[in-house]
Amino acid sequence: MGLEEKLPNGILLTSVEKLVNWTRKTSMWPATFGLACCAIEMMTSGGSRYDIARFGMERFSATPRQADLMIVAGRVTNKMAPVLRQIYDQMPEPRWVLAMGVCASTGGMFNNYAVVQGVDHVVPVDMYLPGCPPRPEMLLDAILKLHAKVMDEPLGPKRAAVLAESGHRTELVPSSVRYAKKK
């Protein structure tokens, strides 16, 4: 004779943490930051063939204030890095970042002064998606893995402690970027 037998039908038992994380997982709105060829594959995932809407993510947000997932698709130049950081800072907490493609993850084949060698120098990245360019199926798989990560996240002060432990803070502009002084 367990607890399930004593409760009437239709009662669901869970923790507040699991319920909040489930709502976050099922209503993620991505802020697209498409910079190169990976953006085409990201747009394809919103079409009828791959149907990102089945995960509650059909609304690609044009404003960062209504988004909680930033998909950085493509290479980030040093000139674009402060803009990327500004958009990230405007997103409400909790927020997640997915680096889509080799260029966003490591700079790709563009090993020069103009391209940031990994978007993690500008914003903290939660999920890396390799490929050049990665297919829409790979993006959907990365999103599902991010959903699993969201379901295991703590709330409140525990979340702040976990983020502080993982060093989830980055500087505004990478230290490798040198700007000329204006006269």
Side-chain angles (χ1 to χ4, degrees), residues 156-169:
K158 287 194 290 185
R159 176 177 166 78
V162 167
L163 288 177
E165 261 181 36
S166 67
H168 217 269
R169 301 204 186 281

Side-chain angles (χ1 to χ4, degrees), residues 64-127:
R65 289 179 180 88
Q66 297 175 353
D68 45 13
L69 170 65
M70 177 185 275
I71 302 174
V72 181
R75 62 189 172 272
V76 178
T77 62
N78 287 331
K79 199 177 231 186
M80 189 58 77
V83 176
L84 176 75
R85 182 59 192 216
Q86 180 181 11
I87 290 173
Y88 176 80
D89 289 337
Q90 290 175 356
M91 292 171 60
E93 281 287 339
R95 55 190 172 207
W96 298 275
V97 177
L98 192 148
M100 182 177 178
V102 175
C103 294
S105 300
T106 64
M109 65 185 124
F110 304 101
N111 189 8
N112 60 30
Y113 67 93
V115 176
V116 176
Q117 300 301 304
V119 74
D120 55 349
H121 292 288
V122 183
V123 294
V125 176
D126 296 294
M127 183 71 60

Side-chain angles (χ1 to χ4, degrees), residues 4-176:
E4 295 85 15
E5 295 171 2
K6 294 181 181 179
L7 292 173
N9 289 336
I11 299 292
L12 180 68
L13 297 176
T14 187
S15 66
V16 173
E17 191 171 82
K18 293 283 184 193
L19 181 65
V20 169
N21 285 338
W22 177 80
T23 57
R24 287 177 178 169
K25 174 190 88 145
T26 56
S27 64
M28 251 187 214
W29 287 354
T32 58
F33 206 80
L35 299 167
C37 47
C38 291
I40 302 299
E41 299 295 325
M42 179 179 56
M43 288 182 254
T44 304
S45 68
S48 60
R49 182 170 185 176
Y50 299 102
D51 194 23
I52 202 169
R54 60 188 151 165
F55 304 113
M57 299 177 65
E58 68 273 7
R59 186 184 176 279
F60 282 94
S61 183
T63 173
R65 289 179 180 88
Q66 297 175 353
D68 45 13
L69 170 65
M70 177 185 275
I71 302 174
V72 181
R75 62 189 172 272
V76 178
T77 62
N78 287 331
K79 199 177 231 186
M80 189 58 77
V83 176
L84 176 75
R85 182 59 192 216
Q86 180 181 11
I87 290 173
Y88 176 80
D89 289 337
Q90 290 175 356
M91 292 171 60
E93 281 287 339
R95 55 190 172 207
W96 298 275
V97 177
L98 192 148
M100 182 177 178
V102 175
C103 294
S105 300
T106 64
M109 65 185 124
F110 304 101
N111 189 8
N112 60 30
Y113 67 93
V115 176
V116 176
Q117 300 301 304
V119 74
D120 55 349
H121 292 288
V122 183
V123 294
V125 176
D126 296 294
M127 183 71 60
Y128 293 94
L129 176 58
C132 184
R135 300 272 310 140
E137 298 95 351
M138 295 171 69
L139 177 60
L140 294 178
D141 183 55
I143 288 170
L144 289 176
K145 288 178 181 170
L146 188 61
H147 282 178
K149 183 177 179 179
V150 168
M151 283 299 292
D152 294 334
E153 285 190 352
L155 297 179
K158 287 194 290 185
R159 176 177 166 78
V162 167
L163 288 177
E165 261 181 36
S166 67
H168 217 269
R169 301 204 186 281
T170 59
E171 56 192 59
L172 178 58
V173 179
S175 59
S176 62

